[in-house]
Every structure is written in structure tokens, then in C-alpha cells.
Amino acid sequence: MKHYNTGFVLGKFCPLHRGHMLLIQRALDACEKVYIVVDNIMDEVIPVKRRMQWVKKQHPATVVLTQSHPLPQDPSETPMFWDIWRKELLHLLPQSIDAVFASERYGARLAKELSSDFVMVDYDRQIVPVSATLVRQDIIGQWQYLAPVVQDDFRKAVCIYGPESTGKSTLTKQLAEHYHVPYVEEYAKQVIDSKHGDIVFEDMEMIVKGHFKAVEEALLQNAPLVFVDTDAIISKLWSNELFGKESPVVEEYIARQQFDYYLLLDVDLPWVNDIHRYRPKERESFFHKCEEQLIKRGKAYSVIRGENEQRLINAIKYVDGLFHIGQVFHTK
């Protein structure tokens, strides 16, 4: 039999992390029923509905609520601070609360206002050394502390995309090394090497299928980012360029692939010949075809220019922007 009938947790969960999960689990272990109020804050960078969804999905055994309007966040804002919160919570909660669980000292006063016991959980952050502030400041660096449901929302697949001999393979590897995350090489190179450069129309289907499988395998890794060298749109363009036609399978895999962002590489690097390259004089026209496809399909992208280290610096700027806390939910 559990120690309490009802327990209560209050938080912003902005975002939900493993410290919050520990707190909620302690309440679940001690109480028959646990109520969680997700604070409906005024200047929220993550919508309250999304934060509620995270808590419900991660802890389905709890009852998740939120107040109808923002309330003061600190006693210094008004002498009525505790009166306001007590009245709101007593109105919101469907039954009396036996215990308040918190990782902050305010929990003791909140428990008093609700005529409840107070249970402090990991106040010194010894068990889970993280805070929501730290996570918001460095989502990638604090990735292991995000709740799994939040990781699913934040994870990004970025395609390095564009004409031949624009540094796609190099940049893909450089970005993966910079962020310490997985990357996927262009599958077409394996096929081209195996055919000594003499690919045929039927190879295009093999290329898109093989590339898609490699991307899927990379996405199974619990990483915040996966960088991918080219995609099925490029296969479509090259199929028409080399053979004047395309297999319906190519378009099928274009529809199936899921990239959050494209880095379109400009043709501002010198041409370097190798077995995988075919059109040295048509890179600019191919660039425009690449961009037209992104625009037509409504893909989010940025054009990357610059030589050597500057190309990498420019790409990092856009990738970092994808993990700005507000940008994550602006694009959802």
C-alpha cells in the first residue's frame, strides 16, 4: 500500500528532463494518484499544450492539468502571491492533496498552503545534475538529460545537398565531427565505385533504396542530429540528367524521406574531377534545379557559401539555429 492517497507536482517542464522525471516518479511511487500542474507561464518559449503533451506521454499514469491563465512567478511580484496560487490550485485540483513533491524550497510553502506534507526530491541535483535552464542553453550538450519524448521532438535530420563538387561529403563529415553525431555517406558513391563509373538507369532504384535504409539506421541512434550526404531528390535530378527519365520508385522515396532542414551548397568551389562526377560545366544550372525542387516541395533550407573553414562556420551557424529553443517549436 502506498504512503499517500494523492500527490501533487507543479512545474514549467520547459523542457521536460530527467530531473522532472525523477520527481514525478517519486510521487508515483508514494501516491495512489498524482496530479501534475503544468504552469501556464506568460512568456512561454514552449507552448503549454506541448509541455502538457510531453508529461502525459512520458507519465501516462498521472493527471495533467494547467491553469487557464498565467499567474505571478515570484512572491516579490505581489504580496498576494501565495493567496493567488492557493486559490487557483484549490479551484483546479479535483480533490485535496496529501503530499507536495518538489525539488525547490518553494515546495515547503506550497505544501503548507495546500495543508499537505512536503517531500523534497534531489534538491542538490546529486542524482540528476541538470536544470531546465541548462538544457535551454545547450540542448545538444545536455541531450542525455532530456526526457525521451522531448528528444523525439528536438531530434533533427539535416541533408547536405546540391550539385557535384561543392564539398558535400567533406562538409557532412566536418559537421558530424563538430557536433559528435552520426552521419550518412552518399550511397550512390558505393554503387558508382562498384560499376567503375558506368551506372545504368536501373541503378537509380538501388541507390534511393540503399540510401534510405542507411538514413533509417542512422536515425535509430539516440543522437540529437544526423547529417546526411544528399537525398532522393538528387537521385531524381541525376536520373533525368543522365537518362532522361526517372523511376516512380524515386518519387516514392522522396515522399518517404523526412529531413528537417537542407543545407544547399553553392558552386563557389573549384571543380575537382573524380569517378563520381559527370557535368563540370553544368554545376550552376544544376544548382538552380536543386533549389527549385526545394522551393517546389516547401523544404526549409539555407544556401551555404565560402571556402575552406568559412564554409563550415557558415553551416554551423544555421545548424545551431535549429536548436534555438524558440526555433524548434516555430518549425513544428
Side-chain angles (χ1 to χ4, degrees):
M1 185 173 179
K2 296 189 178 181
H3 191 67
Y4 298 106
N5 181 39
T6 57
F8 173 63
V9 176
L10 170 67
K12 299 182 181 71
F13 310 107
C14 188
L16 181 69
H17 57 65
R18 293 187 182 275
H20 297 134
M21 290 171 61
L22 172 67
L23 177 63
I24 295 169
Q25 190 56 53
R26 289 287 177 85
L28 285 167
D29 290 343
C31 305
E32 295 292 340
K33 179 169 283 188
V34 174
Y35 293 98
I36 299 176
V37 170
V38 180
D39 191 3
N40 186 1
I41 52 179
M42 178 74 74
D43 56 345
E44 56 180 3
V45 293
I46 303 175
V48 67
K49 288 183 179 180
R50 179 59 58 87
R51 291 182 279 126
M52 291 179 71
Q53 288 169 358
W54 285 337
V55 178
K56 288 177 181 178
K57 189 172 182 180
Q58 194 69 54
H59 298 283
T62 64
V63 178
V64 182
L65 308 166
T66 189
Q67 72 270 30
S68 61
H69 57 281
L71 299 181
Q73 295 296 299
D74 189 89
S76 63
E77 297 177 40
T78 171
M80 301 296 292
F81 179 84
W82 288 110
D83 288 335
I84 292 170
W85 270 100
R86 182 183 66 255
K87 290 176 182 177
E88 180 66 27
L89 292 176
L90 290 176
H91 171 73
L92 187 62
L93 294 166
Q95 62 186 121
S96 62
I97 298 299
D98 298 323
V100 171
F101 293 76
S103 297
E104 307 284 351
R105 293 200 184 279
Y106 76 80
R109 178 60 187 269
L110 182 59
K112 182 179 179 181
E113 296 294 332
L114 296 178
S115 302
S116 308
D117 289 348
F118 172 51
V119 181
M120 177 69 84
V121 179
D122 198 23
Y123 172 75
D124 295 323
R125 306 295 192 272
Q126 294 296 309
I127 301 175
V128 184
V130 74
S131 69
T133 300
L134 286 174
V135 171
R136 290 195 299 272
Q137 291 171 347
D138 185 11
I139 295 171
I140 296 175
Q142 300 294 323
W143 183 256
Q144 72 272 26
Y145 293 117
L146 286 173
V149 293
V150 180
Q151 289 177 337
D152 291 342
D153 258 359
F154 278 63
R155 188 175 289 109
K156 302 291 183 183
V158 178
C159 180
I160 316 303
Y161 172 91
E164 53 189 348
S165 195
T166 52
K168 294 190 298 297
S169 299
T170 298
L171 185 60
T172 300
K173 294 176 183 177
Q174 288 175 330
L175 287 167
E177 290 173 1
H178 175 80
Y179 290 100
H180 305 288
V181 297
Y183 71 93
V184 178
E185 296 181 327
E186 183 182 8
Y187 189 80
K189 287 186 175 181
Q190 300 178 37
V191 178
I192 293 170
D193 285 340
S194 69
K195 297 292 188 76
H196 306 289
D198 297 323
I199 61 171
V200 296
F201 174 71
E202 287 71 24
D203 293 327
M204 302 309 296
E205 185 173 321
M206 181 197 314
I207 288 170
V208 294
K209 288 181 177 180
H211 195 66
F212 183 84
K213 182 180 179 181
V215 174
E216 278 197 319
E217 290 173 354
L219 290 173
L220 291 176
Q221 302 182 50
N222 186 31
L225 268 167
V226 174
F227 292 101
V228 181
D229 184 353
T230 75
D231 77 336
I233 297 175
I234 294 294
S235 296
K236 170 189 176 76
L237 293 173
W238 274 113
S239 183
N240 283 287
E241 190 80 17
L242 297 175
F243 309 113
K245 58 181 179 178
E246 63 187 77
S247 165
V249 172
V250 175
E251 193 64 43
E252 174 192 334
Y253 276 85
I254 291 174
R256 291 178 64 184
Q257 66 186 9
Q258 297 292 327
F259 291 107
D260 297 281
Y261 206 75
Y262 283 78
L263 298 179
L264 170 58
L265 306 197
D266 204 352
V267 292
D268 54 343
L269 296 182
W271 169 270
V272 177
N273 191 40
D274 70 23
I275 193 175
H276 314 105
R277 294 169 182 164
Y278 299 93
R279 298 286 194 271
K281 296 181 180 180
E282 298 173 16
R283 283 194 302 163
E284 188 169 347
S285 64
F286 197 89
F287 172 89
H288 292 303
K289 291 177 182 178
C290 290
E291 188 167 32
E292 286 169 4
Q293 285 290 319
L294 295 180
I295 295 170
K296 174 184 176 182
R297 297 171 187 274
K299 305 297 183 182
Y301 74 97
S302 295
V303 177
I304 304 300
R305 301 181 175 91
E307 296 186 11
N308 303 321
E309 186 179 358
Q310 190 59 50
R311 207 172 189 79
L312 175 61
I313 292 171
N314 293 341
I316 288 171
K317 177 182 69 174
Y318 288 108
V319 176
D320 282 349
L322 296 177
F323 285 87
H324 183 276
I325 195 75
Q327 181 66 17
V328 169
F329 298 96
H330 177 71
T331 58
K332 285 290 180 181

